[in-house]
Amino acid sequence: MSGRTDKVTVEQSRPGQRLDTYLRSVFQAVSRGAIQRLIEEGHIKVNGVVVKPTHSPRAGEEISVYWPEPRPAQAQPEDIPLNIIYEDDDLVVLNKAPGIVVHPAAGNEEHTLVNALLHHCRGKLSGIGGVSRPGIVHRLDKDTSGCLVVAKNDVSHTSLAAQFAGRSLEKIYLAILCGVISRPGGDIRAAIARHATHRKRMAVTEDLGRQAWTSYRVIERLHGATLVEAILHTGRTHQIRVHFQHLGYPVAGDDTYGKRENTRLKELTRYAAPRQLLHAQKITFQHPRTGKKMSCEAPWPSDFQTALQALRPGTS
């Protein structure tokens, strides 16, 4: 079987850390579960010996990680049109349309962005993401539109994932929020974790949550709503949606995190958003091969323009 091997030398002992956790910090594009499977299958060795995931790395140890050739993707290629902002041999940046799921999952095995990418790239996608999400470095929610970066090879995937984890990328979003924010902008620093009772939702929870930071500035105050620009400094699940709900101004059209406020907005303005009005407008990153700084921008979607026309004072 073909594949590749990476070698890592442990610089300092880590008596309180497991091997799988340590390797997760080294190979940030790979899940801990995937690393555990590689250990169990004998593909990860310490000084040439297979060890358990609970092994604590010691200074001077050499860890070899064999990456088997990825299995053929389970998802099938589909000829679905893609809105491409930029593409080269290493990556592709898409303007994701709202309403499309990024990768296959239970209930969404077909018509996903991965299906479209498998057709467009014809096998040239990173295998690090696994069989269900080849090339996928990050994700956008189904109803969020805008910039999405996809890796065409493992080198690009590893580099881009490290940039996401290291917060060296810049991610700028546009959002239309329920309610009028009086302040010009600010920072939302509130930890996020899985909701205690609604397991498909996230929530602000200082005790168990992971650090999360969103900054924003008001672009335009509307009738019963506010257009803001938001910058993600961390990348937690549903971060913008949860943070603005926590602030008291949930995203327009977001029934999961702001159903009551959206009902109030509709009663006030007679406007009902067709989806959560959240758009990944711009992403800036370092090209994984050339090192050049790149900025890609996705034009405002038409439903944003429609919402602004409906919500501007005097037009509703």
Side-chain angles (χ1 to χ4, degrees):
M1 182 188 297
S2 61
R4 79 174 201 278
T5 300
D6 288 328
K7 293 188 178 181
V8 177
T9 300
V10 181
E11 295 183 357
Q12 65 181 58
S13 297
R14 299 171 181 267
Q17 191 173 41
R18 295 163 51 110
L19 176 63
D20 53 1
T21 304
Y22 169 71
L23 289 176
R24 175 70 180 86
S25 68
V26 175
F27 302 102
Q28 298 173 340
V30 187
S31 69
R32 184 177 170 187
I35 291 172
Q36 289 173 340
R37 286 193 297 273
L38 290 174
I39 295 174
E40 292 167 1
E41 293 168 2
H43 294 314
I44 294 179
K45 298 179 181 180
V46 177
N47 291 338
V49 179
V50 175
V51 298
K52 295 182 179 180
T54 53
H55 172 82
S56 295
R58 302 183 183 93
E61 289 181 333
E62 183 180 79
I63 304 172
S64 63
V65 182
Y66 173 73
W67 307 97
E69 194 71 23
R71 291 171 288 157
Q74 294 173 340
Q76 297 302 309
E78 294 183 48
D79 188 3
I80 301 171
L82 293 172
N83 187 340
I84 297 173
I85 300 172
Y86 174 84
E87 183 175 17
D88 60 23
D89 291 339
D90 297 297
L91 57 89
V92 56
V93 182
L94 305 173
N95 181 6
K96 176 191 169 299
I100 186 170
V101 175
V102 172
H103 55 75
N108 288 294
E109 289 83 6
E110 299 177 328
H111 316 314
T112 71
L113 207 58
V114 163
N115 297 108
L117 285 164
L118 287 170
H119 177 270
H120 176 77
C121 296
R122 292 171 176 81
K124 294 182 179 179
L125 288 173
S126 164
I128 288 179
V131 295
S132 66
R133 29 181 114 176
I136 301 301
V137 182
H138 65 125
R139 58 171 292 177
L140 296 176
D141 295 334
K142 176 183 177 181
D143 287 329
T144 299
S145 57
C147 293
L148 184 77
V149 184
V150 177
K152 287 188 173 183
N153 52 60
D154 290 358
V155 172
S156 295
H157 197 133
T158 301
S159 171
L160 291 166
Q163 291 180 58
F164 274 97
R167 306 177 190 174
S168 59
L169 301 94
E170 184 180 59
K171 296 168 285 183
I172 299 177
Y173 287 72
L174 292 173
I176 296 179
L177 309 176
C178 297
V180 179
I181 300 178
S182 59
R183 62 181 73 93
D187 288 289
I188 310 170
R189 297 175 184 260
I192 293 175
R194 187 72 57 183
H195 195 285
T197 55
H198 301 285
R199 303 307 295 170
K200 292 185 177 181
R201 295 176 56 182
M202 308 300 288
V204 167
T205 168
E206 297 300 334
D207 295 334
L208 302 174
R210 299 175 67 191
Q211 176 192 5
W213 174 19
T214 306
S215 60
Y216 72 95
R217 69 178 183 91
V218 171
I219 297 176
E220 184 179 355
R221 294 180 180 87
L222 307 164
H223 180 40
T226 307
L227 172 66
V228 300
E229 176 186 273
I231 298 178
L232 274 181
H233 300 281
T234 53
R236 309 303 175 214
T237 301
H238 299 173
Q239 178 173 318
I240 290 178
R241 299 164 63 192
V242 172
H243 267 175
F244 279 114
Q245 180 205 35
H246 178 66
L247 201 64
Y249 303 94
V251 175
D254 190 347
D255 287 340
T256 300
Y257 294 105
K259 189 171 185 178
R260 181 176 57 188
E261 291 85 353
N262 271 281
T263 298
R264 188 179 303 134
L265 178 64
K266 183 179 179 181
E267 291 172 349
L268 177 67
T269 65
R270 299 192 300 276
Y271 170 77
R275 51 108 176 180
Q276 63 197 32
L277 293 177
L278 183 60
H279 179 65
Q281 183 190 31
K282 185 178 181 180
I283 187 164
T284 301
F285 58 94
Q286 186 180 55
H287 192 282
R289 186 177 299 276
T290 68
K292 179 183 177 182
K293 184 177 180 180
M294 297 187 61
S295 290
C296 296
E297 193 163 344
W300 291 33
S302 59
D303 55 8
F304 256 71
Q305 303 286 5
T306 301
L308 291 174
Q309 292 174 6
L311 295 171
R312 282 186 171 123
T315 60
S316 60

